[in-house]
Amino acid sequence: MTDAATLQPWSVAAVNLPEHADNPIHTDAGARAAGFDAALVAGVTTYAAMTHLPAVAWGREWIERGGAAVRFRTPILDGDRIECGVEDDRRVTASVNGSVRVEAEFVRRVRDPIEPRPGDRLEPIEFELDGSWSDYGMRAGDDCPIYAAEEIAHPASWPRLANHFCHEQLVTGSWIHVRSRIAHLGIARVGAAIRAHATVVDRFDSRAGERALLDVIVAADGRKVAAVEHEAIISLP
């Protein structure tokens, strides 16, 4: 870990992690059925790799109180080489062969909280945080050692949890995560009791299919640790 004040460019190989294969879009067969050339890498996996930049530049301050807004423009495929370029002091692009696929804006410290809005409440998700939530980034290509060393959840855990709400309660087939806005409200340690609440605040049709917008609040041992505004295409044409 360094004390660098600014984000630095970085590159990493895209990896399609096996736990995402239950969404057919992350398999070759399912992706081809939806009109893509091969399996799409999960957006949250790409995001996990991109968080290497703020974690190295800003350290624990970002992990505990920072945040991000990320938008997935074009799919990334397994094995693609992702080039993370820094546009200014907090904007990052993830490109493949010179084509921008993902845009993210990282905030060192969140000042405007994400307030949950009224809508249709989903069933809460509860579980005990285990090591798969701290080493997720490492498996995605983020080699920052702080998560394993301190046994804390990787920041990609929070949009990953939002994805669980989509996959388990909103979709029946292939679906695509398109964007998230994430606010870190604290640290979650391995062994903590996680309870997450989600509200569907909007559902609407688009050219790409039906979309859903969720507000998600995550607590660890009864203390809020993250808030996420999460959008996904939950029904592909």
Side-chain angles (χ1 to χ4, degrees):
M1 196 73 62
T2 75
D3 289 329
T6 59
L7 305 178
Q8 300 296 322
W10 190 63
S11 67
V12 63
V15 178
N16 215 356
L17 298 179
E19 56 258 51
H20 297 302
D22 53 357
N23 178 357
I25 205 72
H26 301 311
T27 67
D28 284 337
R32 287 172 181 147
F36 298 98
D37 292 335
L40 277 58
V41 171
V44 70
T45 305
T46 301
Y47 173 71
M50 294 175 73
T51 65
H52 178 90
L53 280 72
V56 167
W58 301 329
R60 190 185 176 95
E61 179 185 7
W62 180 77
I63 296 167
E64 186 169 1
R65 293 295 177 183
V70 59
R71 182 177 295 275
F72 305 97
R73 291 175 44 175
T74 308
I76 291 176
L77 306 183
D78 189 40
D80 282 346
R81 190 72 192 177
I82 304 172
E83 299 290 338
C84 295
V86 180
E87 298 296 308
D88 55 33
D89 61 350
R90 63 185 189 178
R91 289 180 60 82
V92 173
T93 58
S95 301
V96 176
N97 297 324
S99 172
V100 174
R101 307 295 179 87
V102 184
E103 297 174 322
E105 182 171 317
F106 293 105
V107 179
R108 186 166 183 163
R109 191 174 182 89
V110 171
R111 303 193 184 279
D112 297 319
I114 299 174
E115 299 292 348
R117 292 163 287 186
D120 296 328
R121 294 290 293 269
L122 300 179
E123 288 296 317
I125 293 177
E126 297 180 300
F127 63 96
E128 182 177 303
L129 193 73
D130 63 23
S132 68
W133 295 82
S134 63
D135 72 4
Y136 184 88
M138 185 72 70
R139 293 184 288 117
D142 173 19
D143 59 4
C144 287
I146 187 172
Y147 309 108
E150 298 195 22
E151 296 190 313
I152 58 178
H154 191 278
S157 299
W158 314 138
R160 182 183 172 195
L161 252 178
N163 275 344
H164 277 298
F165 281 107
C166 293
H167 185 74
E168 295 174 6
Q169 301 187 45
L170 293 179
V171 306
T172 56
S174 294
W175 62 282
I176 299 175
H177 172 202
V178 294
R179 73 171 184 90
S180 290
R181 186 164 65 101
I182 305 137
H184 304 162
L185 307 175
I187 294 289
R189 298 191 178 279
V190 170
I194 298 295
R195 182 175 175 87
H197 294 272
T199 302
V200 181
V201 298
D202 198 9
R203 294 178 74 144
F204 56 97
D205 291 326
S206 71
R207 288 182 297 175
E210 184 185 3
R211 298 187 182 226
L213 182 63
L214 281 67
D215 285 347
V216 179
I217 299 292
V218 185
D221 291 334
R223 179 176 50 86
K224 290 181 182 179
V225 293
V228 184
E229 179 185 89
H230 200 72
E231 185 176 337
I233 303 170
I234 59 172
S235 179
L236 300 175

